[in-house]
Amino acid sequence: MANLNIKLVKSLNGRLEKQIATAHSLGLRKIGDMTVQPDNDQTRGKIAKIGYMLQVTEVK
């Protein structure tokens, strides 16, 4: 199974509480934070909600 490398590239300041909670559930708290998450439907759904704040690359 592949993994996704997710990096927060935009600030969480001024965002809706749901968007901040989604970022925190991915383990992202501040700009530049990176995390590796499994490539599954739950992770893809979170990325879809706040994708404009993220940089996502696939890790094999």
Side-chain angles (χ1 to χ4, degrees):
M1 180 196 277
N3 288 324
L4 298 173
N5 192 10
I6 305 170
K7 181 178 181 180
L8 186 65
V9 294
K10 291 192 178 228
S11 174
L12 296 175
N13 286 343
R15 306 293 180 198
L16 297 174
E17 288 296 321
K18 286 184 177 183
Q19 293 172 335
I20 295 171
T22 301
H24 287 183
S25 72
L26 288 169
L28 305 170
R29 306 244 178 239
K30 57 185 180 179
I31 295 175
D33 280 356
M34 294 180 71
T35 184
V36 177
Q37 298 288 329
D39 187 5
N40 56 31
D41 290 339
Q42 292 84 2
T43 304
R44 290 286 180 170
K46 293 175 185 179
I47 291 169
K49 292 290 184 185
I50 60 169
Y52 67 96
M53 292 190 283
L54 305 175
Q55 179 181 35
V56 181
T57 56
E58 188 173 332
V59 179
K60 294 185 180 182

